[in-house]
Amino acid sequence: MATAQPTTDRLAEKHRSTLDQALDTIRTRAYWSPHPEHPKAYGADGSLDAAAGLAAYQSLLNGRFELDQPGTDGWTGGEVSPYGPELGVEYPHADLDVLLPAMRAGMGAWRDAGAETRALVCLEILARISARTHEFAHAVMHTSGQAFMMAFQAGGPHAQDRGLEAVAYAYAEQTRTPAGRAGWSKPQGKRDPLELSKEFTPVGRGVALVIGCNTFPTWNGYPGLFASLATGNAVLVKPHPRAVLPLALTVRVAREVLAETGFDPNLVALAVERLGEGIAKTLAVRPEVRIIDYTGSTAFGDWLEANARQAQVYTEKAGVNTVVVDSTDDYKGMLGNLAFSLSLYSGQMCTTPQNLLIPRDGIATDQGPKSYDEVTADLAAAVDGLLGDDARANGLLGALVNPDVKARLEAAADLGEVALASREVVNPDFPDAVVRTPVIVKLDGSKPEAQDAYFSECFGPVSFAVAVDSTADALELLRRTVREKGAMTVGAYTTSEEVERAVEEVCLEEAAQLSLNLTGGVYVNQTAAFSDFHGSGGNPAANAALCDGAFVSNRFRVVEVRRQA
């Protein structure tokens, strides 16, 4: 049964202004966030402060995570923090033949509630998550390996912003067509007009499946989750086996809010797999699953697009992010900006630059001409200086998320001349954490054997300083890279208007998001909700952008009922 009017009014009083501001901001593309970034902002108005958040996280460890879902046929777990400790949390394992029909049962009332009520319920879910940001931060940190401040910001307010952004786009797209009944009258000359009453209802497609990722479980999970929920779908969350807890907490909060507002809590549910079970492929082709959101490897993303034919599939896969270095009027600022971008979260971001294309004859700078070797050496020195203090290094690098990243890092040193060797950093608080600084490898872009290295994604703290014959050659290599391999981000440094126009044209033609001449506190691997698009959906790295109208509009259809007036 749909929520009672008093509940709707209460939610509107609490959240309507936030929704209106989000709707305005996606039009203006200005800076705005309702979710504080600073840890000290929490602790009032019922939110958890730092101590309470840590205690709440610790209370979850070594116990069963109850959700009261239909079809629970056992318990499973096994998460181990990249910082060392086992989490010891067990989650309900679902019998899909029981859970999926139960999820569909509540969709009628959720549909009938209308776009505004759905949006307001989603905002209440986000508000309650926000109040527990400190708790979520520890859960993200100990499943992704992010350092605490990054886990707090990216896994907390930034993820919440992306969820709210998706709700705003969903609401905007659903309300393009008038709600309720609309009169229609067609003149017929001397005869009476033809008259109909028409009613238009946004209808969700069915069960939406969110396949979570290990590195950014909330940031990458929330856009699809809230876009589907706000457009009238039930949402089944299938977390990455190594990063269950943040999304399990999200599901628990969502179920609580849905129940309190008069809706079926089974509109949001959790599907955790047993070791080696691989339920993502099973779920992806179930007829009940009509929408899939996925972040991860190209191989599985391609499989989903080819095989989940009954569903609308939104993927973010691998890409080869590239920076073209032509010239700069702030050499020190460029080096500092790039050093931070390469180091943040040990390069374990889908937006981290990998290939730095540098003319072999060097570049013009405000400090005079710099050769390829000098640029590479100076960048290595900038990274080394940034990470020279172990405490600061730990705060920026976090921990390597899994052994595969460590293996790629170690193998990269054999691919070419090492400009900056990776070193081990000890984390005194977590001595079992695997913390490594980035490696920078010099490659000759004209040699075929070098192409094998730089022309595929090497996820982790690995970057290639690729020597090219000229900026024109760099642009052609950029074009080919984006077209064939995809890119989530492109960066460029130039003082030439002609080069700037040329790199912009490449990115427009190949649909890649471009950042030009970043030398301050904004980095190529960071994007701001409501203003920046994450990915474009127009190159092989992703078939969707976070977030635009296309990301939400095909999650529902408008069904029309006509009546004789």
Side-chain angles (χ1 to χ4, degrees):
M1 187 170 74
T3 183
Q5 189 61 40
T7 301
T8 303
D9 292 342
R10 177 179 58 82
L11 290 176
E13 182 179 355
K14 187 175 180 181
H15 299 301
R16 181 68 219 202
S17 62
T18 301
L19 177 59
D20 288 340
Q21 182 64 59
L23 290 166
D24 182 64
T25 308
I26 63 175
R27 289 189 292 267
T28 65
R29 317 306 295 181
Y31 169 77
W32 173 72
S33 171
H35 304 113
E37 285 186 312
H38 200 287
K40 291 184 179 179
Y42 297 83
D45 302 323
S47 63
L48 300 181
D49 63 13
L54 176 59
Y57 164 73
Q58 290 173 335
S59 72
L60 300 169
L61 304 180
N62 302 308
R64 284 190 167 176
F65 195 96
E66 300 283 353
L67 281 175
D68 193 27
Q69 291 184 171
T72 297
D73 60 8
W75 296 85
T76 186
E79 291 160 292
V80 178
S81 170
Y83 289 93
E86 294 184 8
L87 273 60
V89 184
E90 287 190 311
Y91 304 93
H93 182 273
D95 180 339
L96 300 178
D97 291 329
V98 176
L99 180 59
L100 288 169
M103 294 183 70
R104 289 188 57 86
M107 286 185 60
W110 188 234
R111 174 201 65 215
D112 295 342
E116 181 175 18
T117 295
R118 288 194 294 272
L120 294 172
V121 171
C122 287
L123 264 61
E124 177 66 17
I125 296 170
L126 285 165
R128 295 198 191 183
I129 291 171
S130 177
R132 298 167 64 175
T133 293
H134 274 283
E135 178 185 6
F136 273 78
H138 289 285
V140 171
M141 173 183 175
H142 283 288
T143 53
S144 70
Q146 295 176 29
F148 178 76
M149 275 304 299
M150 184 175 187
F152 184 92
Q153 293 183 339
H158 297 171
Q160 295 151 22
D161 283 349
R162 283 296 184 190
L164 175 55
E165 177 187 47
V167 173
Y169 272 100
Y171 178 82
E173 292 299 321
Q174 289 174 97
T175 55
R176 288 186 185 278
T177 303
R181 294 190 179 184
W184 184 85
S185 180
K186 179 179 180 180
Q188 296 293 299
K190 295 181 180 180
R191 293 174 293 168
D192 291 340
L194 298 176
E195 294 187 347
L196 294 175
S197 172
K198 302 183 180 184
E199 189 171 6
F200 304 94
T201 303
V203 177
R205 287 186 172 273
V207 175
L209 172 64
V210 174
I211 303 175
C213 71
N214 194 173
T215 49
F216 288 89
T218 55
W219 199 98
N220 277 109
Y222 283 6
L225 192 164
F226 284 100
S228 288
L229 191 62
T231 49
N233 303 280
V235 181
L236 180 60
V237 178
K238 204 297 291 182
H240 191 283
R242 288 191 290 261
V244 178
L245 187 55
L247 290 177
L249 281 168
T250 303
V251 169
R252 177 182 277 176
V253 173
R255 291 174 64 83
E256 290 171 352
V257 171
L258 287 164
E260 290 175 20
T261 52
F263 295 102
D264 190 337
N266 297 321
L267 287 165
V268 179
L270 186 73
V272 182
E273 59 191 300
R274 297 188 176 105
L275 181 65
E277 186 177 8
I279 62 172
K281 278 192 173 183
T282 302
L283 280 167
V285 296
R286 293 275 305 211
E288 302 95 332
V289 172
R290 305 301 302 278
I291 301 166
I292 298 173
D293 287 277
Y294 168 75
T295 299
S297 72
T298 295
F300 191 57
D302 289 346
W303 185 92
L304 288 171
E305 292 170 5
N307 291 277
R309 309 296 294 178
Q310 85 292 349
Q312 298 292 319
V313 179
Y314 301 88
T315 59
E316 180 188 313
K317 300 176 289 190
V320 178
N321 300 319
T322 301
V323 177
V324 174
V325 182
D326 168 73
S327 55
T328 179
D329 58 8
D330 185 358
Y331 187 60
K332 182 178 178 181
M334 179 189 78
L335 294 174
N337 192 279
L338 286 173
F340 189 92
S341 298
L342 301 182
S343 303
L344 186 60
Y345 185 32
S346 301
Q348 297 169 123
M349 303 172 69
C350 62
T351 50
T352 300
Q354 175 180 300
N355 293 343
L356 310 176
L357 309 185
I358 306 168
R360 67 179 74 253
D361 292 335
I363 65 172
T365 81
D366 58 317
Q367 298 184 17
K370 298 290 182 179
S371 68
Y372 165 82
D373 287 334
E374 286 177 312
V375 173
T376 306
D378 290 345
L379 178 59
V383 174
D384 200 36
L386 177 68
L387 303 176
D389 177 77
D390 280 3
R392 182 166 58 180
N394 276 304
L396 283 175
L397 295 170
L400 299 188
V401 69
N402 61 53
D404 292 341
V405 176
K406 181 173 180 284
R408 282 193 294 271
L409 170 63
E410 293 173 345
D414 296 328
L415 297 174
E417 180 185 346
V418 175
L420 176 66
S422 176
R423 70 178 181 90
E424 181 177 355
V425 178
V426 175
N427 188 320
D429 296 322
F430 301 100
D432 292 331
V434 179
V435 184
R436 299 289 188 275
T437 62
V439 63
I440 300 176
V441 178
K442 297 168 69 173
L443 295 174
D444 187 336
S446 65
K447 294 184 177 179
E449 61 270 24
Q451 179 177 304
D452 293 338
Y454 69 72
F455 209 59
S456 59
E457 185 186 42
C458 190
F459 184 77
V462 177
S463 294
F464 300 115
V466 182
V468 294
D469 290 338
S470 65
T471 297
D473 288 328
L475 294 179
E476 282 307 307
L477 180 54
L478 170 65
R479 181 188 299 277
R480 183 180 166 213
T481 302
V482 177
R483 180 177 294 174
E484 297 183 23
K485 299 297 182 178
M488 295 299 293
T489 57
V490 172
Y493 290 90
T494 183
T495 58
S496 164
E497 291 184 5
E498 181 181 356
V499 172
E500 183 173 321
R501 287 195 299 270
V503 70
E504 185 175 352
E505 187 64 22
V506 170
C507 290
L508 290 171
E509 291 179 356
E510 304 302 332
Q513 310 292 18
L514 171 64
S515 296
L516 284 164
N517 297 319
L518 298 182
T519 56
V522 176
Y523 305 94
V524 67
N525 45 347
Q526 296 174 321
T527 59
F530 310 108
S531 182
D532 296 322
F533 293 112
H534 176 73
S536 71
N539 69 64
N543 71 0
L546 305 180
C547 184
D548 60 8
F551 185 69
V552 299
S553 60
N554 220 13
R555 297 172 189 263
F556 71 96
R557 308 311 299 160
V558 176
V559 177
E560 176 185 356
V561 176
R562 301 190 297 180
R563 294 178 175 85
Q564 189 71 45

